[in-house]
Amino acid sequence: PMWTNGEVEILAWACVLDSIRPNMVVRIAVVSIYGGRKGELAQLSSSDICLDGDKSSIYISTTKHGVRRKQPIPPSLTPLFSVPVSPI
């Protein structure tokens, strides 16, 4: 990853404090942690997110025919992923 989990958490919470829509904060977290492409972020929805404590994960669709894999969500960021997310 480009940033540590702690740095991503600081960035994400700063975004919340600056009144960015919560579903966009989720997209910022996804691109910061997993490096998703614009088209992949646009397709993201709540059905792609599984919140289960330390086993929380996210499926990110691929736009270049890659393999869609379950990615872990860092426990410190799980609250950010609890907001409703719809494709844009």
Side-chain angles (χ1 to χ4, degrees):
M2 187 184 305
W3 294 326
T4 67
N5 290 345
E7 291 169 330
V8 172
E9 184 175 5
I10 289 168
L11 174 66
W13 285 117
C15 291
V16 171
L17 296 176
D18 288 337
S19 301
I20 292 176
R21 291 179 296 159
N23 68 10
M24 293 306 291
V25 173
V26 170
R27 288 178 167 85
I28 290 168
V30 168
V31 76
S32 300
I33 297 167
Y34 312 106
R37 295 178 180 91
K38 186 167 95 172
E40 297 164 352
L41 296 175
Q43 296 174 21
L44 190 66
S45 72
S46 293
S47 63
D48 298 319
I49 301 168
C50 174
L51 298 177
D52 186 18
D54 290 342
K55 296 179 183 177
S56 295
S57 60
I58 184 169
Y59 281 98
I60 303 169
S61 63
T62 61
T63 56
K64 291 193 171 185
H65 310 293
V67 177
R68 184 177 176 191
R69 292 193 172 99
K70 181 169 70 170
Q71 302 290 333
I73 296 174
S76 61
L77 297 179
T78 302
L80 293 177
F81 287 84
S82 65
V83 301
V85 179
S86 300
I88 53 174

